[in-house]
Amino acid sequence: MDADRKQPEEPKVLAFCCMYCAYAAADMAGSMRLTYPPNVEIILVPCTGRVEIHHILEALENGADGVCVAGCEEGSCHFSVGNLKAKKRVAYVKTLLEELGIDPDRVEMFHISASQGPLFAKVASEMTENIRRLGILKWNKQRG
Ligand code: FES
């Protein structure tokens, strides 16, 4: 019967969100009652410049199927260039993933200001849909 049919496993998306912008935008999205998939788990960071390459890789290794880093708009980082460093790190992680045979689209950088609640909801939805399309990251499930 339908109740016995196994539902496809839902992907997990980890979002490192800067407290000054993307985190506030997520908060605004909630206040505006905008919905985005529950697949997205938000990690509050003081600046995306604090997100190191190993944080992204460890997230993927520990169960995330996709990771996004969401920081202030270019030129608006409270720590000057934290978001630019994050952008470079995300680009580098993408090259590492490619070398490992993993689709680099599993990791993305976004710039979202505090007043862009609707953009946060859109980005969270699109990222989840992309990761759903790519499927569950197999290396997570093959490890014992
Ligand atoms: Fe927001 Fe640096 S303070 S990305």
Side-chain angles (χ1 to χ4, degrees), residues 21-22 24-26 28-29 32 34 71-73 111-123:
C21 54
M28 174 187 268
M32 294 172 75
L34 300 172
C72 299
E73 292 179 318
H111 299 278
I112 304 172
S113 76
S115 62
Q116 293 179 306
L119 178 61
F120 180 87
K122 181 173 179 277
V123 159

PDB file of all heavy atoms in Angstrom, residues 21-22 24-26 28-29 32 34 71-73 111-123:
ATOM      1  N   CYS A  21      24.152  39.561   8.532  1.00  0.00           N
ATOM      2  CA  CYS A  21      23.390  39.668   7.287  1.00  0.00           C
ATOM      3  C   CYS A  21      22.490  38.457   7.053  1.00  0.00           C
ATOM      4  O   CYS A  21      21.290  38.514   7.319  1.00  0.00           O
ATOM      5  CB  CYS A  21      24.335  39.879   6.116  1.00  0.00           C
ATOM      6  SG  CYS A  21      25.612  38.614   6.042  1.00  0.00           S
ATOM      7  N   ALA A  22      23.049  37.353   6.587  1.00  0.00           N
ATOM      8  CA  ALA A  22      22.215  36.223   6.179  1.00  0.00           C
ATOM      9  C   ALA A  22      21.402  35.655   7.345  1.00  0.00           C
ATOM     10  O   ALA A  22      20.252  35.253   7.170  1.00  0.00           O
ATOM     11  CB  ALA A  22      23.074  35.126   5.547  1.00  0.00           C
ATOM     12  N   ALA A  24      20.324  37.345   9.923  1.00  0.00           N
ATOM     13  CA  ALA A  24      19.242  38.307  10.137  1.00  0.00           C
ATOM     14  C   ALA A  24      18.188  38.183   9.033  1.00  0.00           C
ATOM     15  O   ALA A  24      16.983  38.316   9.280  1.00  0.00           O
ATOM     16  CB  ALA A  24      19.805  39.721  10.180  1.00  0.00           C
ATOM     17  N   ALA A  25      18.648  37.912   7.815  1.00  0.00           N
ATOM     18  CA  ALA A  25      17.709  37.729   6.698  1.00  0.00           C
ATOM     19  C   ALA A  25      16.847  36.481   6.929  1.00  0.00           C
ATOM     20  O   ALA A  25      15.644  36.486   6.635  1.00  0.00           O
ATOM     21  CB  ALA A  25      18.467  37.620   5.378  1.00  0.00           C
ATOM     22  N   ALA A  26      17.462  35.426   7.466  1.00  0.00           N
ATOM     23  CA  ALA A  26      16.694  34.209   7.766  1.00  0.00           C
ATOM     24  C   ALA A  26      15.650  34.510   8.827  1.00  0.00           C
ATOM     25  O   ALA A  26      14.502  34.051   8.754  1.00  0.00           O
ATOM     26  CB  ALA A  26      17.640  33.101   8.240  1.00  0.00           C
ATOM     27  N   MET A  28      14.314  37.411   9.354  1.00  0.00           N
ATOM     28  CA  MET A  28      13.273  38.218   8.712  1.00  0.00           C
ATOM     29  C   MET A  28      12.325  37.329   7.903  1.00  0.00           C
ATOM     30  O   MET A  28      11.101  37.533   7.929  1.00  0.00           O
ATOM     31  CB  MET A  28      13.902  39.258   7.790  1.00  0.00           C
ATOM     32  CG  MET A  28      12.869  40.027   6.990  1.00  0.00           C
ATOM     33  SD  MET A  28      13.614  41.102   5.784  1.00  0.00           S
ATOM     34  CE  MET A  28      13.732  42.580   6.738  1.00  0.00           C
ATOM     35  N   ALA A  29      12.901  36.342   7.216  1.00  0.00           N
ATOM     36  CA  ALA A  29      12.058  35.427   6.428  1.00  0.00           C
ATOM     37  C   ALA A  29      11.045  34.755   7.357  1.00  0.00           C
ATOM     38  O   ALA A  29       9.857  34.625   7.017  1.00  0.00           O
ATOM     39  CB  ALA A  29      12.925  34.381   5.719  1.00  0.00           C
ATOM     40  N   MET A  32       8.372  37.180   8.352  1.00  0.00           N
ATOM     41  CA  MET A  32       7.449  37.436   7.234  1.00  0.00           C
ATOM     42  C   MET A  32       6.630  36.199   6.882  1.00  0.00           C
ATOM     43  O   MET A  32       5.872  36.209   5.926  1.00  0.00           O
ATOM     44  CB  MET A  32       8.257  37.887   6.004  1.00  0.00           C
ATOM     45  CG  MET A  32       8.960  39.227   6.173  1.00  0.00           C
ATOM     46  SD  MET A  32      10.070  39.601   4.790  1.00  0.00           S
ATOM     47  CE  MET A  32       8.873  40.057   3.537  1.00  0.00           C
ATOM     48  N   LEU A  34       7.644  33.583   5.535  1.00  0.00           N
ATOM     49  CA  LEU A  34       8.061  32.995   4.258  1.00  0.00           C
ATOM     50  C   LEU A  34       8.566  31.584   4.567  1.00  0.00           C
ATOM     51  O   LEU A  34       9.266  31.388   5.561  1.00  0.00           O
ATOM     52  CB  LEU A  34       9.188  33.817   3.627  1.00  0.00           C
ATOM     53  CG  LEU A  34       8.833  35.270   3.320  1.00  0.00           C
ATOM     54  CD1 LEU A  34      10.075  36.031   2.872  1.00  0.00           C
ATOM     55  CD2 LEU A  34       7.758  35.322   2.246  1.00  0.00           C
ATOM     56  N   GLY A  71      27.046  35.233   3.357  1.00  0.00           N
ATOM     57  CA  GLY A  71      27.656  36.370   4.032  1.00  0.00           C
ATOM     58  C   GLY A  71      27.146  37.697   3.510  1.00  0.00           C
ATOM     59  O   GLY A  71      26.268  37.759   2.634  1.00  0.00           O
ATOM     60  N   CYS A  72      27.733  38.750   4.065  1.00  0.00           N
ATOM     61  CA  CYS A  72      27.354  40.105   3.680  1.00  0.00           C
ATOM     62  C   CYS A  72      27.675  40.350   2.195  1.00  0.00           C
ATOM     63  O   CYS A  72      28.510  39.652   1.616  1.00  0.00           O
ATOM     64  CB  CYS A  72      28.126  41.106   4.524  1.00  0.00           C
ATOM     65  SG  CYS A  72      27.791  40.965   6.296  1.00  0.00           S
ATOM     66  N   GLU A  73      27.028  41.362   1.677  1.00  0.00           N
ATOM     67  CA  GLU A  73      27.298  41.721   0.287  1.00  0.00           C
ATOM     68  C   GLU A  73      28.745  42.219   0.178  1.00  0.00           C
ATOM     69  O   GLU A  73      29.308  42.714   1.149  1.00  0.00           O
ATOM     70  CB  GLU A  73      26.311  42.790  -0.161  1.00  0.00           C
ATOM     71  CG  GLU A  73      24.896  42.245  -0.242  1.00  0.00           C
ATOM     72  CD  GLU A  73      23.886  43.299  -0.655  1.00  0.00           C
ATOM     73  OE1 GLU A  73      23.986  44.436  -0.159  1.00  0.00           O
ATOM     74  OE2 GLU A  73      23.013  42.961  -1.472  1.00  0.00           O
ATOM     75  N   HIS A 111      25.640  36.022  -1.115  1.00  0.00           N
ATOM     76  CA  HIS A 111      25.735  37.306  -0.428  1.00  0.00           C
ATOM     77  C   HIS A 111      24.300  37.806  -0.221  1.00  0.00           C
ATOM     78  O   HIS A 111      23.582  38.040  -1.198  1.00  0.00           O
ATOM     79  CB  HIS A 111      26.541  38.314  -1.258  1.00  0.00           C
ATOM     80  CG  HIS A 111      27.948  37.859  -1.513  1.00  0.00           C
ATOM     81  ND1 HIS A 111      28.967  38.022  -0.598  1.00  0.00           N
ATOM     82  CD2 HIS A 111      28.501  37.206  -2.566  1.00  0.00           C
ATOM     83  CE1 HIS A 111      30.077  37.506  -1.080  1.00  0.00           C
ATOM     84  NE2 HIS A 111      29.818  37.004  -2.277  1.00  0.00           N
ATOM     85  N   ILE A 112      23.911  37.936   1.040  1.00  0.00           N
ATOM     86  CA  ILE A 112      22.521  38.300   1.357  1.00  0.00           C
ATOM     87  C   ILE A 112      22.540  39.342   2.469  1.00  0.00           C
ATOM     88  O   ILE A 112      23.094  39.094   3.547  1.00  0.00           O
ATOM     89  CB  ILE A 112      21.735  37.055   1.839  1.00  0.00           C
ATOM     90  CG1 ILE A 112      21.801  35.934   0.788  1.00  0.00           C
ATOM     91  CG2 ILE A 112      20.294  37.421   2.154  1.00  0.00           C
ATOM     92  CD1 ILE A 112      21.215  34.616   1.253  1.00  0.00           C
ATOM     93  N   SER A 113      21.950  40.492   2.226  1.00  0.00           N
ATOM     94  CA  SER A 113      21.940  41.520   3.274  1.00  0.00           C
ATOM     95  C   SER A 113      20.840  41.219   4.292  1.00  0.00           C
ATOM     96  O   SER A 113      19.923  40.422   4.030  1.00  0.00           O
ATOM     97  CB  SER A 113      21.742  42.908   2.659  1.00  0.00           C
ATOM     98  OG  SER A 113      20.388  43.067   2.292  1.00  0.00           O
ATOM     99  N   ALA A 114      20.926  41.894   5.433  1.00  0.00           N
ATOM    100  CA  ALA A 114      19.988  41.644   6.538  1.00  0.00           C
ATOM    101  C   ALA A 114      18.535  41.929   6.149  1.00  0.00           C
ATOM    102  O   ALA A 114      17.608  41.360   6.722  1.00  0.00           O
ATOM    103  CB  ALA A 114      20.384  42.505   7.735  1.00  0.00           C
ATOM    104  N   SER A 115      18.349  42.800   5.180  1.00  0.00           N
ATOM    105  CA  SER A 115      16.984  43.183   4.801  1.00  0.00           C
ATOM    106  C   SER A 115      16.402  42.291   3.703  1.00  0.00           C
ATOM    107  O   SER A 115      15.315  42.548   3.208  1.00  0.00           O
ATOM    108  CB  SER A 115      16.979  44.642   4.323  1.00  0.00           C
ATOM    109  OG  SER A 115      17.795  44.752   3.166  1.00  0.00           O
ATOM    110  N   GLN A 116      17.138  41.255   3.325  1.00  0.00           N
ATOM    111  CA  GLN A 116      16.691  40.424   2.197  1.00  0.00           C
ATOM    112  C   GLN A 116      16.114  39.072   2.639  1.00  0.00           C
ATOM    113  O   GLN A 116      16.549  38.019   2.181  1.00  0.00           O
ATOM    114  CB  GLN A 116      17.851  40.227   1.214  1.00  0.00           C
ATOM    115  CG  GLN A 116      18.246  41.532   0.516  1.00  0.00           C
ATOM    116  CD  GLN A 116      19.403  41.343  -0.441  1.00  0.00           C
ATOM    117  OE1 GLN A 116      20.461  40.835  -0.058  1.00  0.00           O
ATOM    118  NE2 GLN A 116      19.210  41.768  -1.678  1.00  0.00           N
ATOM    119  N   GLY A 117      15.122  39.154   3.516  1.00  0.00           N
ATOM    120  CA  GLY A 117      14.453  37.934   3.966  1.00  0.00           C
ATOM    121  C   GLY A 117      13.912  37.104   2.808  1.00  0.00           C
ATOM    122  O   GLY A 117      14.135  35.875   2.754  1.00  0.00           O
ATOM    123  N   PRO A 118      13.217  37.726   1.864  1.00  0.00           N
ATOM    124  CA  PRO A 118      12.702  36.939   0.734  1.00  0.00           C
ATOM    125  C   PRO A 118      13.820  36.275  -0.080  1.00  0.00           C
ATOM    126  O   PRO A 118      13.664  35.149  -0.551  1.00  0.00           O
ATOM    127  CB  PRO A 118      11.944  37.981  -0.113  1.00  0.00           C
ATOM    128  CG  PRO A 118      11.522  39.016   0.887  1.00  0.00           C
ATOM    129  CD  PRO A 118      12.674  39.101   1.857  1.00  0.00           C
ATOM    130  N   LEU A 119      14.961  36.969  -0.225  1.00  0.00           N
ATOM    131  CA  LEU A 119      16.077  36.373  -0.964  1.00  0.00           C
ATOM    132  C   LEU A 119      16.615  35.161  -0.200  1.00  0.00           C
ATOM    133  O   LEU A 119      16.943  34.135  -0.809  1.00  0.00           O
ATOM    134  CB  LEU A 119      17.196  37.401  -1.190  1.00  0.00           C
ATOM    135  CG  LEU A 119      18.431  36.867  -1.909  1.00  0.00           C
ATOM    136  CD1 LEU A 119      18.083  36.345  -3.307  1.00  0.00           C
ATOM    137  CD2 LEU A 119      19.517  37.942  -1.993  1.00  0.00           C
ATOM    138  N   PHE A 120      16.693  35.275   1.135  1.00  0.00           N
ATOM    139  CA  PHE A 120      17.173  34.127   1.902  1.00  0.00           C
ATOM    140  C   PHE A 120      16.269  32.920   1.670  1.00  0.00           C
ATOM    141  O   PHE A 120      16.762  31.804   1.426  1.00  0.00           O
ATOM    142  CB  PHE A 120      17.245  34.429   3.404  1.00  0.00           C
ATOM    143  CG  PHE A 120      17.745  33.237   4.169  1.00  0.00           C
ATOM    144  CD1 PHE A 120      19.101  33.033   4.337  1.00  0.00           C
ATOM    145  CD2 PHE A 120      16.866  32.275   4.656  1.00  0.00           C
ATOM    146  CE1 PHE A 120      19.583  31.897   4.975  1.00  0.00           C
ATOM    147  CE2 PHE A 120      17.334  31.140   5.298  1.00  0.00           C
ATOM    148  CZ  PHE A 120      18.689  30.950   5.459  1.00  0.00           C
ATOM    149  N   ALA A 121      14.955  33.139   1.737  1.00  0.00           N
ATOM    150  CA  ALA A 121      14.008  32.026   1.546  1.00  0.00           C
ATOM    151  C   ALA A 121      14.170  31.431   0.144  1.00  0.00           C
ATOM    152  O   ALA A 121      14.146  30.203  -0.030  1.00  0.00           O
ATOM    153  CB  ALA A 121      12.578  32.513   1.764  1.00  0.00           C
ATOM    154  N   LYS A 122      14.387  32.294  -0.850  1.00  0.00           N
ATOM    155  CA  LYS A 122      14.550  31.827  -2.232  1.00  0.00           C
ATOM    156  C   LYS A 122      15.832  31.001  -2.374  1.00  0.00           C
ATOM    157  O   LYS A 122      15.832  29.917  -2.957  1.00  0.00           O
ATOM    158  CB  LYS A 122      14.586  33.052  -3.156  1.00  0.00           C
ATOM    159  CG  LYS A 122      14.733  32.768  -4.629  1.00  0.00           C
ATOM    160  CD  LYS A 122      14.573  34.069  -5.414  1.00  0.00           C
ATOM    161  CE  LYS A 122      14.723  33.870  -6.901  1.00  0.00           C
ATOM    162  NZ  LYS A 122      16.103  33.860  -7.355  1.00  0.00           N
ATOM    163  N   VAL A 123      16.925  31.538  -1.835  1.00  0.00           N
ATOM    164  CA  VAL A 123      18.220  30.849  -1.922  1.00  0.00           C
ATOM    165  C   VAL A 123      18.154  29.501  -1.201  1.00  0.00           C
ATOM    166  O   VAL A 123      18.645  28.486  -1.711  1.00  0.00           O
ATOM    167  CB  VAL A 123      19.325  31.757  -1.325  1.00  0.00           C
ATOM    168  CG1 VAL A 123      20.540  30.962  -0.910  1.00  0.00           C
ATOM    169  CG2 VAL A 123      19.710  32.841  -2.328  1.00  0.00           C
TER     170      VAL A 123
END
